[in-house]
Amino acid sequence: MIRRAYFIPYILQFKQASGTSRGVLRTKDTWFIIVEGDHKIGIGECGMFRGLSFDDVTNYESKLQWACEHIDIGLEALLSQLNAFPSIQFGLEMAFKSFESSDRFELYPSDFTKNNKSIPINGLIWMGSKKFMNDQIKTKLSEGFDCIKMKIGAIDFETELGLLKLIRNEFSSETIELRVDANGAFKPMEALEKLKRLSDYDLHSIEQPIRQGQWQEMAELCEQTPLPIALDEELIGIVDDQTKSTLLNEIQPQYIILKPTLVGGFRGSESWIERAEQQHIGWWITSALESNIGLNAIAQWTYTLQSNRPQGLGTGGLFTNNFDSPLVVKNGTLRYENNLNWDINNLKLKQ
């Protein structure tokens, strides 16, 4: 039985400044919810994303404190009170699942956690100079990735097309799957023409070509696009099931991308998946720059979904002060090498 809860703020430090069309990331705020019983603890991560998360609000920590003070009302009641705080919902789901498990880090025992199976993932290419992006591409290809995701929209579009051309000159779409993520960087008036030019490089898909909230413009794009469109930021802030169904029905995207931290945890993600599959819309799971603690929970849950599509779970190596864990990226896959140990001493737990 859970007796008490508290939270620990933690600032993740990027090894290298990481560029998106929304700016350059150097640090990432996160919070860990610790739930305690008489002889065990559970750990959950609330990875609210500054400038992107629906719950990036001034009273975030006070809401975390409220959740800890009311931990005795149980998970269901807590989740029902926290629809406006999807990252706290996710952290609580994770913490309760961790507490209930015989091993606080093995939330979903499976062939993945037994190191019998791995999860295919994409190799992520951050924005930067042409040389920086080209170096990343070469590194990912040498590491055995056969799915590359490149963030675009921050540097010159012609330069970005040139980088895609370099990859395609050497690797066909049968050899390397290419995804791009615009993070809403294109203006609606120019988006279709840019999608046509991008389609010359046999791309798998483009994430969020225009900013979220423009349903009509996005619907027109999805209807006319020469390459599949995946909605990402578009899903943030939509919490009721009817609106989820309405959005998917009106926009009709080819794919949706689910970040549990941003869409209400595992339950929120599963709600989106159910509605997407009803409309024959594809999906995959992506982490939202959580530490290895959050990434571990997302990866274990993702494996249970039994999707063969490459997932966006390769972010564990981005930080200088991440936690040592059994998660290992190898040959373009994420593995759980259970002969490796967890080290969370940096968290400074109260017990």
Side-chain angles (χ1 to χ4, degrees), residues 112 165 205 212 268 318:
F112 175 69
K165 184 177 181 180
S205 56
Q212 68 266 38
L318 293 176

Side-chain angles (χ1 to χ4, degrees), residues 13-249:
Q13 307 283 342
F14 279 87
K15 291 177 181 176
Q16 189 162 14
S18 299
T20 75
S21 63
R22 295 173 179 270
V24 176
L25 303 173
R26 292 181 174 83
T27 62
K28 169 72 168 55
D29 292 338
T30 199
W31 293 261
F32 294 95
I33 289 182
I34 313 300
V35 295
E36 293 184 351
D38 291 334
H39 303 291
K40 64 188 302 191
I41 69 169
I43 303 174
E45 181 169 356
C46 305
M48 184 266 284
F49 208 115
R50 298 288 186 195
L52 180 60
S53 290
F54 176 51
D55 47 12
D56 179 12
V57 292
T58 54
N59 66 330
Y60 186 85
E61 286 202 354
S62 64
K63 188 57 71 170
L64 259 177
Q65 185 63 37
W66 176 89
C68 292
E69 290 172 354
H70 293 81
I71 204 73
D72 59 310
I73 69 175
L75 181 60
E76 301 297 331
L78 286 166
L79 295 180
S80 70
Q81 296 292 315
L82 290 164
N83 278 337
F85 292 85
S87 64
I88 299 178
Q89 288 181 315
F90 179 44
L92 287 166
E93 276 187 308
M94 197 189 313
F96 273 75
K97 188 76 173 172
S98 172
F99 183 83
E100 293 161 3
S101 301
S102 57
D103 176 340
R104 73 181 66 152
F105 294 114
E106 190 177 13
L107 281 62
Y108 293 90
S110 67
D111 280 340
F112 175 69
T113 59
K114 291 178 175 62
N115 197 18
N116 294 327
K117 297 287 186 179
S118 60
I119 300 172
I121 60 174
N122 59 239
L124 182 59
I125 308 302
W126 292 93
M127 292 176 179
S129 67
K130 179 178 179 180
K131 181 182 185 306
F132 173 63
M133 295 179 75
N134 198 32
D135 287 347
Q136 289 180 85
I137 291 167
K138 289 178 180 177
T139 298
K140 294 301 180 188
L141 295 174
S142 70
E143 290 173 348
F145 284 92
D146 55 17
C147 178
I148 299 292
K149 171 181 164 179
M150 192 171 98
K151 288 189 174 286
I152 63 173
I155 63 173
D156 177 66
F157 186 61
E158 298 300 327
T159 301
E160 292 169 340
L161 292 177
L163 289 167
L164 293 169
K165 184 177 181 180
L166 283 174
I167 300 173
R168 277 291 171 253
N169 283 345
E170 193 169 349
F171 301 97
S172 70
S173 57
E174 286 74 33
T175 306
I176 298 293
E177 180 178 293
L178 273 178
R179 302 170 175 176
V180 294
D181 181 2
N183 287 124
F186 300 161
K187 294 180 174 59
M189 292 175 58
E190 67 183 14
L192 184 59
E193 181 57 33
K194 288 191 170 183
L195 295 185
K196 288 176 180 176
R197 297 193 64 193
L198 287 164
S199 69
D200 291 341
Y201 302 100
D202 295 322
L203 303 185
H204 171 271
S205 56
I206 180 169
E207 295 180 32
Q208 203 68 43
I210 63 175
R211 282 195 177 272
Q212 68 266 38
Q214 304 175 88
W215 287 21
Q216 182 177 342
E217 292 86 347
M218 187 69 87
E220 291 171 0
L221 270 183
C222 289
E223 184 178 15
Q224 301 174 48
T225 183
L227 69 140
I229 289 174
L231 302 186
D232 181 357
E233 288 94 337
E234 200 73 62
L235 313 185
I236 297 170
I238 296 175
V239 297
D240 68 281
D241 292 340
Q242 182 56 54
T243 308
K244 292 175 185 178
S245 296
T246 301
L247 179 146
L248 295 177
N249 186 57

Side-chain angles (χ1 to χ4, degrees), residues 312-333:
L313 303 176
T315 56
L318 293 176
F319 307 112
T320 61
N321 60 339
N322 210 338
F323 307 99
D324 291 342
S325 80
L327 295 171
V328 175
V329 175
K330 186 177 290 184
N331 297 325
T333 66

Side-chain angles (χ1 to χ4, degrees), residues 112 292-293 295-296 299 325-329 334-337 340 342:
F112 175 69
N292 279 335
I293 293 173
L295 178 62
N296 173 61
S325 80
L327 295 171
V328 175
V329 175
L334 185 66
R335 305 192 65 90
Y336 192 88
E337 299 195 347
L340 301 177
W342 281 91

